[in-house]
Amino acid sequence: MYTLITLILLATAVFYWHKTVRLKRANNYFLSERDQISFILENLSDGLIEYNTDMAVIRMNRAAEKIFGIEAANLVGKKITPESGDPLLRDLSIITFPKIGENAKLLKEDTIGQGIVRVEEITTPAPKEKKLKVYTISRVFTATGSLSGSVKFIRDITKEEFISQSKSDLVAVVAHQLRTPLTGVKWIFTSLVGGDYGPVNEEQNKLLE
């Protein structure tokens, strides 16, 4: 009888030890996955800001810090409101609530599952005027459908827009500069074909045409 009880206790101990080891391994795996995801989000080339349902900032990566000139440590946990009087938060408030900005343009809005994805172009006011493309993704609890927060991806397209405009300006200038001499050349050939400078034979006329 003593041996049976001992075996039962030993088996129970082994079972819980094995279960503890499995839980520890699973926990380590999830912690590793979390760290990898955090590393990827932190090093995205685009800015990322995550909000809770009260529009308080939960996460802000390095690219977003650079875009807005604000350190994440000074912003995480802070609620962003349209009425924020802090000049450092002016651009961030416009990004968070595009309707308060004067230069916000909705490009696209889609429903994905129970979430909503909005794509907007927003120009922040002077003196530090920037043109930003903002992707807003709302998150929901799939079981209840209640909103749990949102994530914004921010891409600074100021330089891209400047380069694109510069290319357009260059093409316009070159086209204008070429149009004048080409018009003169065309007039000369038209005059030659028309015989203004004397008759031309059939072969010469074909070449001029």
Side-chain angles (χ1 to χ4, degrees):
M1 187 67 178
Y2 178 77
T3 304
L4 180 60
I5 293 174
T6 302
L7 289 175
I8 292 173
L9 290 174
L10 183 60
T12 304
V14 170
F15 171 77
Y16 280 107
W17 174 82
H18 182 66
K19 189 174 182 180
T20 302
V21 170
R22 289 181 62 188
L23 287 172
K24 188 175 181 179
R25 287 177 179 172
N27 185 58
N28 289 338
Y29 172 79
F30 286 120
L31 288 175
S32 176
E33 288 292 304
R34 183 198 65 184
D35 291 342
Q36 288 183 32
I37 292 171
S38 294
F39 177 81
I40 292 170
L41 294 177
E42 186 64 26
N43 291 281
L44 286 174
S45 58
D46 293 337
L48 177 144
I49 302 176
E50 184 179 356
Y51 306 83
N52 64 15
T53 51
D54 294 325
M55 299 312 292
V57 176
I58 301 173
R59 181 199 298 268
M60 184 179 191
N61 71 354
R62 294 174 187 172
E65 288 181 325
K66 185 176 180 181
I67 291 172
F68 297 105
I70 307 170
E71 291 186 6
N74 298 327
L75 196 63
V76 171
K78 183 175 289 188
K79 185 176 180 180
I80 308 300
T81 65
E83 299 81 15
S84 178
D86 189 342
L88 292 175
L89 299 180
R90 182 199 63 174
D91 291 352
L92 184 57
S93 297
I94 292 173
I95 297 301
T96 306
F97 303 98
K99 290 183 179 180
I100 69 174
E102 297 180 358
N103 299 306
K105 180 170 65 173
L106 179 64
L107 301 179
K108 191 176 182 181
E109 183 174 41
D110 283 328
T111 300
I112 300 179
Q114 293 181 328
I116 298 174
V117 178
R118 292 170 60 90
V119 183
E120 294 161 301
E121 272 189 9
I122 300 173
T123 303
T124 59
K128 294 182 179 180
E129 185 175 296
K130 292 181 180 180
K131 192 162 189 178
L132 308 172
K133 183 171 281 189
V134 182
Y135 301 79
T136 303
I137 305 170
S138 67
R139 299 181 303 159
V140 296
F141 291 113
T142 55
T144 62
S146 60
L147 185 66
S148 65
S150 60
V151 177
K152 287 183 182 284
F153 292 91
I154 304 105
R155 177 173 297 171
D156 190 344
I157 59 172
T158 308
K159 290 182 179 179
E160 295 175 23
E161 288 292 313
F162 175 77
I163 293 172
S164 177
Q165 186 60 48
S166 296
K167 287 180 179 178
S168 297
D169 292 343
L170 176 62
V171 170
V173 169
V174 170
H176 177 74
Q177 294 298 324
L178 286 174
R179 190 175 294 116
T180 301
L182 287 175
T183 300
V185 171
K186 182 179 178 181
W187 178 80
I188 291 172
F189 277 94
T190 300
S191 297
L192 290 172
V193 171
D196 295 346
Y197 300 97
V200 292
N201 60 40
E202 185 176 347
E203 185 177 355
Q204 289 173 332
N205 187 71
K206 185 183 296 185
L207 290 172
L208 290 172
E209 287 288 352

